[in-house]
Amino acid sequence: MQGKIGAPRPKGLKKEKAEWLKPGLVGRVKFLKGEEKLRHASLLDFRERD
């Protein structure tokens, strides 16, 4: 993830303590289905975008 950290926070999101990544990574996430927002998410793995 070196060189990917430091992207600007998306407009409308208030998570100030989050570290935003620059585009280029694809992640696989486990989350609760049937929710409007991504809740209780766990990052399973990630890779560089092809």
Side-chain angles (χ1 to χ4, degrees), residues 19-38:
E19 288 189 37
W20 296 98
L21 302 176
K22 296 175 186 173
L25 293 176
V26 176
R28 193 166 60 110
V29 179
K30 179 180 177 182
F31 60 95
L32 292 177
K33 293 184 179 181
E35 296 289 331
E36 185 176 318
K37 294 186 177 184
L38 194 63

Side-chain angles (χ1 to χ4, degrees), residues 4 21-27 46-50:
K4 300 281 185 192
L21 302 176
K22 296 175 186 173
L25 293 176
V26 176
F46 62 92
R47 62 178 170 79
E48 290 282 335
R49 181 173 281 176
D50 295 331

